[in-house]
Amino acid sequence: MKKVFLSYSRHNAEVVTKLIHDLRAAGIDIWYDQTLTGGQRWWDNILENIANCDVFILALSPESWQSEACKSELQYVSKLGKTILPVLISDGININLLPAPLNQIQITDCRRGDSESVLSLIKSVYSASAAPPLPDPLPAPPPVPVSYLSTLKERIDSREPMTSQNQITLLFEIQEELRAGRSPVEIRELLVELKRRDDLLAKIATQVDVALNSLEQNVSMQQPDATMSKVSLVAEHMFCPKCGRQAAKGQKFCPNCGTMLAEQDGEIAQGSGKKTRKFICPPKQTSTVIGDVKGWLDSEGFDSQQMKTENGGELLQIKKRGGWRDFVGMATSLNIVFHQSGDTLTVQIGSGKWVDKAAVGTVSLFILWPLAITAGFGAWEQMKMPEKIFDYIGSRLHSK
C-alpha cells in the first residue's frame, strides 16, 4: 500500500478533513499533521514522514501557498525525488504562474469536492510510480518554520524594556499583518497582550484601543442578525472577566481592556480566563486521548474527575493535591473541556468551581465558566498548566 503525505494549511482544515475521509475510504494510507502547534519535535516528525512517504499531496490554496511550513515541505520532498500531486482546494491560485516543480505536474481540481475529482486524485495516487531510494546522505533538513505572528508574540511577551519607538513599530507591524489578511482573532490576541505590558506608553495604549474598537466594529458588521439575537438571549449584560467592567449587550470586546467577551459563535462568554486550541483527531481516538491526559495529570499530582457537558463535550476537572490548593482556593479547579466535531477536537481550558460530581449529571456551561474565577486562572497560568496540557495532548496525537 502506498503511503501518502498530505501538506496543507490549518486554515483549510475543514476542506482537508473531507478529502482525508474520501482518500481513506478508498483504502489509501494517508498521513497528515494532526495538531495545529509547532516546535522542533513537531517538525522532525513531519520531515520523517515525508521521507517515508511514496506520494506527496499538496493541498493548494492561497493560505498553503503563503505558509512557510508548506513551502519548506515542498522544497524538501522535491530534493527527495518523491511523486508530488498538487490538489487545488480553493480559489485564489493562478496555476499558470506556479513555479517548478508544480508547473510541470498535472493539477487535480478538487474545489467542488465532487466524486469525479476525488476519483481522479485516487487514480493518480494508485498509478504513481514507486518512490525512488532515498539519497545518501539525506539533504540538509529545512529549519523549523517560525510564523511571523509568533515572532511578534515573542517580542510582546519579552521581559526586556520596550522603548517608545519599539512600541510604535510593533503596533504598526501588527496592523500591517491585519491589512495583509491575517485572522482578526489572532490580531486581537496580539493587541490585547500588547496592552497588558506594564511599560506600555499611554499614547500607544490609546492607539491600541482604537485598533481594538475597529476590530469590534468589523466583527459586528460581519455578524449575522441571527447570531446577534443568540448573544442577546445569553445575558442582558456582559462583564469583562479580566477587569470586571460592564459592557453593552452584544458587545464583543471589553471597552476598557480589550479582552474578548464572547466567542464568534455567540454561545458562551470567553475572556482572558480561558484558552482554546484545536487538534485534528479522529473521533475514535478522543476517549483514549482524554484517558491519557487524566493518567498523566494523576502522575503529576492532580486529583481529577470526568463528566459530560450540556453541549455534548467531556469535562475533565483537576485540582492540585496538597497545600498548594490554599493558594488558589479550595474550590478552584482547572477545567478542561473536550468537544469533538468531525475530525476536529477543540480543547478549552479555564478555571471554575469544583463541581460535586455526585450531585451533577450534566454540567452547564454557565456553571463551568463563572466570571468570578479569573484570579484563580492566573494562578494556574503561573504554573504554566494550560500550555503544558496543550503540549501533552499534542504529543499524544503526534505519536499515534
Side-chain angles (χ1 to χ4, degrees):
M1 179 183 295
K2 286 188 171 67
K3 295 181 179 179
V4 174
F5 180 97
L6 177 63
S7 176
Y8 71 102
S9 165
R10 66 176 185 174
H11 297 286
N12 308 126
E14 184 176 349
V15 176
V16 168
T17 296
K18 183 179 183 305
L19 186 62
I20 291 170
H21 284 159
D22 291 338
L23 293 176
R24 284 182 169 169
I28 293 175
D29 180 11
I30 186 167
W31 190 95
Y32 59 99
D33 177 21
Q34 296 184 22
T35 75
L36 306 183
T37 57
Q40 183 64 55
R41 183 170 60 175
W42 159 80
W43 187 237
D44 291 343
N45 192 29
I46 284 179
L47 297 183
E48 180 182 354
N49 279 277
I50 291 177
N52 291 332
C53 79
D54 298 299
V55 178
F56 179 93
I57 293 179
L58 173 60
L60 265 174
S61 69
E63 294 80 11
S64 65
W65 193 239
Q66 294 298 322
S67 166
E68 293 301 324
C70 291
K71 290 178 183 178
S72 295
E73 291 166 0
L74 179 61
Q75 292 171 1
Y76 190 63
V77 78
S78 299
K79 294 177 182 178
L80 297 178
K82 306 281 186 176
T83 297
I84 300 172
L85 296 179
V87 178
L88 194 61
I89 62 171
S90 70
D91 296 326
I93 294 290
N94 189 332
I95 59 177
N96 295 321
L97 299 180
L98 293 176
L102 299 183
N103 59 2
Q104 305 165 8
I105 305 171
Q106 179 67 36
I107 294 178
T108 304
D109 190 346
C110 286
R111 286 175 294 180
R112 293 180 298 174
D114 59 316
S115 57
E116 183 177 350
S117 60
V118 174
L119 181 60
S120 177
L121 177 60
I122 293 171
K123 289 181 178 178
S124 298
V125 171
Y126 278 112
S127 62
S129 56
L134 292 173
D136 188 13
L138 288 172
V144 180
V146 179
S147 72
Y148 188 51
L149 278 178
S150 294
T151 304
L152 292 177
K153 183 69 163 58
E154 291 171 3
R155 287 159 60 188
I156 293 172
D157 292 342
S158 172
R159 296 183 179 181
E160 295 296 321
M162 190 179 294
T163 65
S164 172
Q165 185 57 49
N166 287 340
Q167 293 181 23
I168 294 172
T169 301
L170 187 56
L171 178 59
F172 174 79
E173 291 176 357
I174 293 174
Q175 293 172 325
E176 281 296 301
E177 287 296 306
L178 179 62
R179 285 189 282 270
R182 290 286 188 175
S183 164
V185 174
E186 292 176 325
I187 297 300
R188 186 202 64 247
E189 290 177 359
L190 290 176
L191 290 171
V192 170
E193 289 298 323
L194 178 59
K195 187 168 181 180
R196 290 174 182 160
R197 283 191 62 100
D198 294 334
D199 60 354
L200 191 68
L201 299 175
K203 62 179 181 180
I204 305 300
T206 300
Q207 295 180 43
V208 171
D209 286 336
V210 171
L212 286 168
N213 289 334
S214 177
L215 284 174
E216 167 86 37
Q217 294 171 7
N218 290 338
V219 171
S220 297
M221 291 175 61
Q222 297 171 8
Q223 197 78 288
D225 293 341
T227 303
M228 292 300 293
S229 298
K230 196 173 186 180
V231 173
S232 299
L233 290 174
V234 173
E236 284 296 316
H237 300 287
M238 300 292 291
F239 294 88
C240 176
K242 176 174 174 59
C243 67
R245 179 72 64 85
Q246 181 175 321
K249 184 171 64 175
Q251 196 163 3
K252 304 295 184 302
F253 307 101
C254 174
N256 180 48
C257 67
T259 298
M260 188 173 76
L261 300 176
E263 290 182 343
Q264 291 184 358
D265 61 7
E267 291 181 353
I268 175 174
Q270 165 155 348
S272 59
K274 282 188 294 179
K275 291 187 176 182
T276 301
R277 192 167 297 178
K278 294 185 178 182
F279 302 85
I280 295 182
C281 172
K284 63 182 181 180
Q285 191 176 328
T286 302
S287 59
T288 301
V289 170
I290 296 175
D292 289 346
V293 172
K294 190 173 181 180
W296 169 68
L297 288 168
D298 180 72
S299 69
E300 293 290 316
F302 293 90
D303 292 323
S304 65
Q305 60 180 4
Q306 185 175 346
M307 288 171 280
K308 293 283 186 182
T309 66
E310 64 180 4
N311 67 341
E314 292 285 340
L315 164 67
L316 190 61
Q317 281 200 316
I318 68 171
K319 58 182 179 180
K320 186 72 173 176
R321 301 189 197 109
W324 186 88
R325 291 180 299 171
D326 297 331
F327 179 55
V328 294
M330 291 289 289
T332 302
S333 68
L334 193 66
N335 296 331
I336 312 168
V337 176
F338 301 83
H339 187 268
Q340 188 80 34
S341 178
D343 265 6
T344 300
L345 177 64
T346 300
V347 182
Q348 192 171 46
I349 300 177
S351 63
K353 295 288 187 181
W354 182 264
V355 178
D356 184 354
K357 185 176 180 180
V360 178
T362 300
V363 181
S364 164
L365 296 178
F366 293 103
I367 295 175
L368 195 57
W369 308 114
L371 297 181
I373 310 299
T374 53
F377 186 69
W380 288 103
E381 284 190 305
Q382 289 179 31
M383 294 182 66
K384 303 187 182 301
M385 282 309 301
E387 292 304 321
K388 288 180 180 178
I389 294 169
F390 285 139
D391 289 345
Y392 179 82
I393 294 172
S395 71
R396 299 305 298 162
L397 290 172
H398 281 314
S399 64
K400 302 297 182 184

